[in-house]
Amino acid sequence: MNLLDDIEVNRFDTGIYKGFEGQIFDIGEANKLALALKQGREKDLIKHITETVAVNPKYVLSILDWSFLSGSTDLHELSCWILTQDNCLPTDSDLLNFGIRLSVERWRADGIKKFLSLGANPNQEILPRRNIYDVCLNRSHHAFYFDDNVVTDAIDALNAYQARAYLIEKYEGSISCLDTLKPISTHDSWCELFFKSIEQDDENTQMLWCNLINKCVNKAKKPSKKWLKDCLEIVDSIGVSLFGERAQSFIIESHNQRDTLIYGELEGGPYYKGSASTNESFDLWKISESSSYILKSIMWLLMNVNHKGCIEVVYETCKVMYQTHELLGIRDVKLANACFTALLESENGAKFAKSLFDETTHKPTLNKMKVLLNLNLK
């Protein structure tokens, strides 16, 4: 006799569900399995699942899909129980990889850990140009208090299995000092251009760029003489012209939004704080704190070597970083203020700063500019 034959569920708990990556599943069947577990029929459940999986290898993953997504306590208990039953779970690499993608999509850290332990690939691309690690790490930027622990659990599990961000994995082997570039947030728009640029360099030049980037994680509001001296020595070794060309291209690229959301447009993903949406411009336009420091420092060095066109680039950057976006507000206050201050320090730059001040209508931005203008006068 089939396990499901003698279990009845409410007709409202039935129907066909089109789930993760298009798989179809009978909701009523999942609810029957949950009731069987509640009745203590674990042996019957294991027999039913293993026999069905022999015919339909994705069967248990379909059960997990619906039980992960459902708000039902019984279905949640079913999913937790299934994740403890290794003999019910797949061994095929493609199915294990499907399982971890499903766990990330439904945001179940216990599923992520389980499928990792069974051999799932921790470095899968789950969103365009985003690995599982990218998605989990950056979800922490938006986590509500009630899923902070889930975020931590998932990241800890991925670290234990040497998971890497998409760009780190992509350029591993072609950039000799890649492991020293941890300050770079690989999700900001300029980062891949940076990796592509130094990939073509010899090992010594790559190391110079890596050393420079680490020195550019500078939290100061203004560059010190020692910091400038140390950085300009590296710039000289790289070549002032090459540095200037690339530095300008990195800064200009930072004007663009990210190619994809940090973690977003995942079905069932968390809403942004203070918003009724999982897809906001906040995620596309935000610049990470480390990138903000690095770009600010690169801008200081660019102005210091007075590369052709640097004032125009800094002016455009200032303008872009003072722009406002929903939920985010001013895109990057620290970088915008640093650019505005840098413009004020030269006669030609001051003309651009005045032009920007005159065309600005956003009052909070105007107030920030006024403070910087007054400080410059002193």
Side-chain angles (χ1 to χ4, degrees), residues 58-158:
K58 274 193 173 181
Y59 177 72
V60 72
L61 297 171
S62 299
I63 299 169
L64 285 175
D65 186 1
W66 176 247
S67 56
F68 281 172
L69 189 61
S70 171
S72 161
T73 301
D74 290 345
L75 284 167
H76 177 75
E77 292 296 324
L78 176 66
S79 68
C80 292
W81 177 82
I82 288 173
L83 290 173
T84 66
Q85 305 301 311
D86 287 4
N87 54 342
C88 292
L89 293 168
T91 56
D92 175 81
S93 60
D94 288 342
L95 294 177
L96 290 172
N97 290 341
F98 180 95
I100 196 171
R101 292 197 305 273
L102 169 65
S103 300
V104 173
E105 179 85 13
R106 303 295 184 233
W107 201 232
R108 284 289 293 267
D110 53 352
I112 293 170
K113 289 191 282 188
K114 186 63 183 182
F115 287 109
L116 281 172
S117 72
L118 293 173
N121 176 13
N123 293 311
Q124 293 180 70
E125 187 178 349
I126 193 168
L127 290 172
R129 301 172 68 250
R130 296 288 179 266
N131 280 0
I132 288 172
Y133 189 80
D134 298 305
V135 171
C136 292
L137 180 63
N138 289 285
R139 181 161 183 169
S140 64
H141 294 177
H142 308 291
F144 285 90
Y145 68 92
F146 57 74
D147 72 353
D148 281 346
N149 290 335
V150 178
V151 169
T152 303
D153 283 350
I155 293 168
D156 287 348
L158 287 161

Side-chain angles (χ1 to χ4, degrees), residues 280-324:
E280 290 287 357
S281 62
F282 169 86
D283 204 16
L284 290 169
W285 292 107
K286 184 174 175 59
I287 292 179
S288 68
E289 186 175 50
S290 59
S291 277
S292 181
Y293 292 138
I294 292 168
L295 291 166
K296 175 184 68 176
S297 298
I298 288 174
M299 179 273 298
W300 284 336
L301 295 172
L302 187 65
M303 291 289 278
N304 196 275
V305 300
N306 197 25
H307 188 77
K308 183 180 178 181
C310 64
I311 289 177
E312 289 81 357
V313 169
V314 172
Y315 163 75
E316 289 297 332
T317 304
C318 189
K319 194 174 180 180
V320 166
M321 296 304 160
Y322 271 135
Q323 285 177 354
T324 59

Side-chain angles (χ1 to χ4, degrees), residues 181-205:
L181 291 174
K182 291 178 181 177
I184 285 187
S185 169
T186 56
H187 312 105
D188 292 331
S189 60
W190 69 278
C191 296
E192 184 159 18
L193 177 61
F194 173 79
F195 284 123
K196 279 182 180 176
S197 297
I198 72 167
E199 183 186 26
Q200 63 190 285
D201 293 332
D202 59 52
E203 191 171 325
N204 181 59
T205 307

Side-chain angles (χ1 to χ4, degrees), residues 26-45:
D26 185 335
I27 294 171
E29 186 163 340
N31 286 316
K32 286 183 178 183
L33 296 177
L35 281 175
L37 179 65
K38 196 172 184 179
Q39 294 166 3
R41 300 171 63 181
E42 286 94 341
K43 288 184 180 179
D44 292 337
L45 265 175

